[in-house]
């Protein structure tokens, strides 16, 4: 609207409205900048004292935390020694395995929902997926620790297996496999939603063209539809990874709560070893946040999460670009 | 396939009807190669499997909930006790959930709608709009632990001491319903923004032009024409946001104190509670799980059941809101703005 047709007062009011809304937008950016600045400035001492070795392995993280908690209280003698690798490895394992597993499940589920399911089934699966997405993580954690973990401990972990590693780590029902499985259930709904929404917007002429060539329904889906939505699949994986990285409560409950780095060389035992990813560790030691070096170490872990999520957010944006070329709204 | 070719190739100007019927006929799965049939079966398995998992979760919680939930639990204050019989109910956590959600949404809803309006109607300067768009997406992807850790530093500043309590030594506690609610609003914000913005962008341009032609200003058009027309989408986004706030635990644990009872800061009654610490159903479940200090399974199951009922109710609301907006298929999945991690 040209401001000339408005009275001077109305034009000023218009301007004020726009400026107020723009201030909101700037406020959001300020919050993000604030998050980055505070987290990094709080985290710096921990990185500064450990250098790049912070990310390396060496020693037991829980022992290191206890040394900080029981360490001297004067700033000159703070204990900062910390090697985060077991936690980082735990994060990579839980998120990585869950995303790989979730990817397979969600692609199949999305194809099922969009292409194969008859209408009545489709109508039921729709709210089901929304429900799975809405269940709070603490409820997943509760079911995991009270129902699934005891069952796994009694039925899947043999005495011999427990004994084989008893000098290294205690095997319980709360372990990598249970954590991964529940995390998969938690991230599948979002992936299904993304992939299904992309599948639905594949131009029907493309699939019809394939069907007209005599290609069967499955092949059409596999070769035409899924190939078209590849960027959405990548975007889904990226967003699911971000979600898995940030999951704290459920993993604090069912992953074993021990800063242990599972060793793939242990064979099947590997899947029953406890882990504790970064976010879960923050929750685990949150009561000791007031101990300065512990607090700074926790903020350092938050900083690692922040950087990972920012990178993933960037990757998600990049993954969505090709979709725009097809005119599929991402 | 070869047969269609030969039929058409036999020289008819108009292909015989059988050619069309052949394509229209459902191709029978029996004729598919084995690999395709296996994949088809897998799809069904996974689809039904998801339903079974969801069904199992609901059924399990229902059985546990019915066996442990008693009306008295909903009405009694929790009391600090080690034994499950005398530790009281979870009235305080329920109040905490409601209060925290109210605070969070009271901030997120106006902020989100305003942001969405700016992003779809003004977006000047363009670079700022792009920046804000990725900013909102970044907030959507940020773990709630991170937001809580940030909030802890932010609200411990003396300038923001009025939002929480100050200890005798002068250090600001930073944990209260107001501070936790403020961070919770960041969880809900992207959902409100996404559904509002999506809907605003689908309002045809001529609607705006018609309003301008009547001499209405842009601000009036937004207020009187655009926002009313996307009301149900805003409600949808807000409901999704409520779902996320209700289900989040990390912010409650870190920024609300996760105490079992609501502990007011003193002073005027409502303000005292808002500035005080407390807990929600999620933190109560965590507290009473084997991972927490309370370790009272029955209480944890009962509270988790109530929590799940709340989530189910929100789901029903979302479904009601979405059926209101006609059932065109392409938009079905958009109810949940898909570029955002939409839960917890």
């Amino acid at each position: 609207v040209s401001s000339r047709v408005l009275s001077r007062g109305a034009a000023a009011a218009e301007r004020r409205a726009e400026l107020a809304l723009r201030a909101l937008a700037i406020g959001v950016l300020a919050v993000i900048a604030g998050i980055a600045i505070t987290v990094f400035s709080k985290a710096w001492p921990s990185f500064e004292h450990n250098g790049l070795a912070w990310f390396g392995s060496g020693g037991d993280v829980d022992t290191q935390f206890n040394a900080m908690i029981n360490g001297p209280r004067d700033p000159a003698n703070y204990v900062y020694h910390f090697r985060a690798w077991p936690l980082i490895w735990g994060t990579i394992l839980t998120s990585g395995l869950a995303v790989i597993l979730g990817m397979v499940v969600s692609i199949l589920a999305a194809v099922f929902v969009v292409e194969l399911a008859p209408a009545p089934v489709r109508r039921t699966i729709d709210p089901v997926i929304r429900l799975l997405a809405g269940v709070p993580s603490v409820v997943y954690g509760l079911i995991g620790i009270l129902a699934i973990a005891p069952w796994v401990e009694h039925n899947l972990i043999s005495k011999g297996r427990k004994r084989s590693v008893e000098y290294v780590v205690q095997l319980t029902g709360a372990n990598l496999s249970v954590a991964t499985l529940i995390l998969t259930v938690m991230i599948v709904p979002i992936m299904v939603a993304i992939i299904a929404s992309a599948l639905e917007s594949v131009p029907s002429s493309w699939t019809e063209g394939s069907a007209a060539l005599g290609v069967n329904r499955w092949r059409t889906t596999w070769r035409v539809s899924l190939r078209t939505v590849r960027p959405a699949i990548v975007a889904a994986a990226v967003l699911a990874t971000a979600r898995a990285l940030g999951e704290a409560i459920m993993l604090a409950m069912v992953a074993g709560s021990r800063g242990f780095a599972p060793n793939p060389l242990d064979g099947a035992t590997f899947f029953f070893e406890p882990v504790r990813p970064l976010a879960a560790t923050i929750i685990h030691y949150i009561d000791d946040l007031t101990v300065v070096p512990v607090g700074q170490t926790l903020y350092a872990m938050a900083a690692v999460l922040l950087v990972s999520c920012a990178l993933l957010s960037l990757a998600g944006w990049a993954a969505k670009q090709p979709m725009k070329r097809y005119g599929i709204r991402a | 396939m070869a047969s269609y070719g030969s039929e058409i190739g036999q020289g008819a100007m108009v292909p015989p009807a059988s050619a069309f019927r052949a394509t229209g006929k459902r191709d029978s799965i029996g004729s598919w190669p084995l690999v395709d049939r296996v994949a088809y079966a897998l799809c069904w398995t996974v689809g039904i499997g998801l339903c079974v998992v969801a069904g199992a979760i609901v059924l399990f919680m229902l059985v546990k909930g019915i066996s442990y939930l008693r009306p008295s639990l909903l009405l009694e204050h929790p009391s600090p006790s080690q034994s499950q019989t005398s530790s009281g109910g979870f009235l305080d956590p329920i109040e905490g959930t409601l209060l925290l959600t109210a605070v969070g949404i009271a901030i997120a809803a106006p902020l989100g709608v305003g942001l969405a309006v700016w992003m779809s109607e003004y977006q000047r300067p363009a670079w700022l709009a792009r920046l804000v768009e990725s900013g909102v997406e970044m907030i959507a992807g940020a773990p709630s632990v991170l937001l809580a850790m940030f909030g802890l530093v932010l609200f411990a500043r003396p300038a923001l001491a009025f939002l929480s309590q100050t200890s005798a030594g002068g250090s600001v506690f930073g944990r209260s319903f107001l501070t936790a609610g403020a961070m919770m609003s960041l969880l809900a914000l992207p959902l409100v923004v996404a559904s509002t913005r999506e809907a605003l962008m689908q309002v045809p341009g001529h609607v705006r032009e018609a309003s301008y032609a009547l001499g209405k200003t842009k601000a009036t058009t937004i207020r009187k024409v655009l926002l009313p027309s996307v009301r149900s989408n805003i409600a949808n986004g807000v409901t999704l946001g409520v779902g996320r706030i209700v289900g989040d635990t990390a912010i409650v644990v870190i920024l609300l104190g996760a105490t079992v009872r609501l502990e007011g800061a003193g002073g005027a009654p409502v303000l005292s509670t808002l500035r005080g610490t407390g807990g929600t159903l999620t933190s109560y479940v965590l507290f009473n799980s084997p991972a927490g200090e309370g370790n009272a399974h029955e209480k944890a199951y009962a509270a988790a059941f109530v929590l799940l009922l709340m989530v189910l109710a929100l789901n029903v609301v979302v479904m009601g809101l979405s059926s209101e907006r006609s059932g065109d298929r392409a938009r079905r999945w958009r109810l949940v703005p898909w570029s955002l991690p939409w839960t917890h």
Side-chain angles (χ1 to χ4, degrees):
Chain A
V1 191
S2 152
S3 56
R4 233 175 305 156
V5 298
L6 302 173
S7 71
R8 184 167 296 168
E14 278 286 270
R15 182 100 191 110
R16 270 202 305 278
E18 181 176 358
L19 284 181
L21 291 176
R22 192 185 293 168
L24 274 186
I26 293 171
V28 166
L29 292 179
V31 166
I32 294 173
I35 292 175
I37 293 167
T38 36
V39 169
F40 275 103
S41 62
K42 277 287 224 178
W44 183 244
S46 180
F47 288 131
E48 193 186 20
H49 284 82
N50 290 293
L52 277 179
W54 194 93
F55 297 93
S57 65
D60 181 65
V61 275
D62 293 313
T63 318
Q64 290 159 7
F65 264 118
N66 284 329
M68 283 181 219
I69 293 166
N70 303 321
R73 286 286 191 264
D74 59 313
N77 296 318
Y78 279 151
V79 179
Y80 275 110
H81 180 78
F82 191 65
R83 300 288 178 266
W85 177 249
L87 309 178
I88 298 172
W89 177 233
T91 312
I92 295 172
L93 278 180
T94 47
S95 322
L97 291 176
V99 170
I100 292 170
L101 200 62
M103 188 100 116
V104 177
V105 171
S106 54
I107 289 176
L108 291 175
V111 168
F112 177 74
V113 171
V114 178
E115 311 276 348
L116 305 180
V121 179
R122 191 200 302 253
R123 273 198 299 275
T124 29
I125 205 164
D126 212 37
V128 157
I129 285 171
R130 209 172 292 143
L131 171 71
L132 280 179
V135 175
S137 57
V138 76
V139 174
Y140 278 118
L142 189 74
I143 295 173
I145 193 135
L146 286 180
I148 302 176
W151 186 86
V152 168
E153 182 161 3
H154 293 127
N155 296 292
L156 298 183
I157 307 177
S158 64
K159 287 225 166 60
R161 175 158 288 156
K162 273 190 190 171
R163 225 172 293 123
S164 71
V165 288
E166 71 185 344
Y167 296 109
V168 189
V169 65
Q170 265 198 320
L171 301 186
T172 65
N175 56 40
L176 176 63
S177 59
V178 173
T180 305
L181 219 62
I182 299 179
L183 195 56
T184 308
V185 175
M186 290 178 70
I187 62 174
V188 156
I190 178 188
M191 296 174 89
V192 173
I194 295 173
I195 299 171
S197 105
L199 276 178
E200 282 180 345
S201 53
V202 171
S204 56
S205 57
W206 297 13
T207 47
E208 280 162 12
S210 165
L213 289 171
V215 178
N216 73 31
R217 210 144 48 103
W218 171 260
R219 288 267 157 113
T220 300
T221 307
W222 192 251
R223 290 279 168 81
V224 179
S225 305
L226 277 180
R227 195 162 278 214
T228 313
V229 303
R230 265 180 311 189
I233 295 175
V234 176
V238 164
L239 287 168
T241 314
R243 176 107 166 61
L245 282 181
E247 181 49 53
I249 300 295
M250 187 280 288
L251 289 172
M253 291 167 88
V254 303
S257 251
R258 201 170 168 283
F260 180 79
N263 185 354
L265 299 178
D266 290 348
T269 307
F270 165 73
F271 291 103
F272 298 113
E273 287 171 345
V275 284
R276 199 182 52 221
L278 288 168
T281 306
I282 295 179
I283 294 292
H284 192 86
Y285 282 105
I286 201 69
D287 291 338
D288 300 305
L289 192 77
T290 42
V291 182
V292 177
V294 176
Q296 286 163 340
T297 309
L298 293 184
Y299 273 98
M301 300 190 321
V304 173
L305 284 179
L306 174 69
V307 171
S308 330
C309 286
L311 288 179
L312 282 170
S313 170
L314 205 66
W317 174 83
K320 275 188 280 174
Q321 294 314 300
M323 301 272 286
K324 291 186 181 148
R325 212 177 47 209
Y326 297 140
I328 296 175
R329 260 215 67 210
Chain B
M1 188 176 134
S3 69
Y4 311 157
S6 58
E7 263 176 74
I8 295 167
Q10 269 159 16
M13 291 294 285
V14 179
S18 64
F20 293 115
R21 228 182 298 125
T23 48
K25 202 170 68 182
R26 276 177 72 108
D27 64 333
S28 77
I29 290 149
S31 69
W32 293 7
L34 184 64
V35 188
D36 296 10
R37 270 184 285 169
V38 169
Y40 181 80
L42 266 179
C43 275
W44 269 90
T45 318
V46 167
I48 302 302
L50 279 183
C51 294
V52 169
V53 168
I57 291 173
V58 172
L59 212 63
F60 180 77
M61 292 309 299
L62 190 72
V63 168
K64 292 290 180 187
I66 287 174
S67 44
Y68 298 132
L69 185 63
R70 285 180 306 280
S72 63
L73 283 180
L74 299 173
L75 301 171
E76 277 173 23
H77 292 282
S79 54
S81 164
Q82 284 303 314
S83 93
Q84 290 203 41
T85 47
S86 57
S87 60
F90 41 85
L91 177 64
D92 287 33
I94 291 178
E95 287 172 356
T97 296
L98 298 178
L99 192 58
L100 190 62
T101 310
V103 174
I105 282 300
I107 302 172
L111 213 64
V113 171
L115 214 54
V117 165
W118 184 78
M119 284 163 81
S120 86
E121 304 301 314
Y122 291 99
Q123 47 187 250
R124 284 186 304 217
W127 58 267
L128 187 64
R130 271 201 303 276
L131 217 57
V132 169
E133 191 179 347
S134 30
V136 170
E137 240 172 77
M138 214 170 267
I139 290 183
S144 57
V145 186
L146 190 66
L147 297 178
M149 300 277 280
F150 163 65
L152 211 48
V153 184
L154 176 70
F155 296 118
R157 301 184 78 81
L160 296 171
F162 65 93
L163 293 172
S164 61
Q165 301 167 64
T166 310
S167 75
S171 68
V172 179
F173 195 43
R175 296 179 175 89
S176 75
F177 274 100
L178 289 174
T179 62
M183 285 299 124
M184 283 289 193
S185 75
L186 288 182
L187 283 188
L189 184 75
L191 296 163
V192 179
V193 170
S195 42
T196 311
R197 180 165 171 247
E198 176 104 13
L200 279 177
M201 290 196 321
Q202 293 197 342
V203 175
H206 62 76
V207 173
R208 295 177 182 84
E209 282 153 20
S211 171
Y212 298 154
L214 290 173
K216 300 295 173 201
T217 63
K218 193 163 185 174
T220 313
T221 306
I222 290 168
R223 216 150 30 89
K224 297 276 160 107
V225 180
L226 296 182
L227 288 183
S229 75
V230 300
R231 226 172 359 197
S232 71
N233 300 71
I234 296 175
N236 196 23
V238 166
T239 316
L240 290 170
V242 169
R244 244 194 117 172
I245 296 180
V246 166
D248 190 82
T249 322
I251 292 181
V252 180
V253 169
I254 298 175
L255 211 51
L256 191 55
T259 51
V260 177
R261 307 184 78 148
L262 304 185
E263 278 152 24
V270 178
L271 199 63
S272 153
T273 314
L274 284 175
R275 289 178 61 208
T277 57
T280 63
L281 280 172
T282 52
S283 69
Y284 186 80
V285 172
L286 182 66
F287 177 80
N288 282 313
S289 80
E293 290 144 38
N295 201 2
H297 302 184
E298 300 180 3
K299 296 280 163 62
Y301 274 130
F305 178 62
V306 173
L307 194 58
L308 199 64
L309 284 184
M310 284 186 178
V311 170
L312 277 171
L314 287 172
N315 266 314
V316 171
V317 172
V318 170
M319 264 161 53
L321 286 170
S322 57
S323 62
E324 206 174 282
R325 267 175 298 147
S326 81
D328 62 324
R329 236 173 117 241
R331 285 192 47 78
R332 201 166 47 107
W333 288 99
R334 291 273 162 70
L335 306 178
V336 179
W338 77 254
S339 60
L340 304 167
W342 28 299
T343 47
H344 317 301

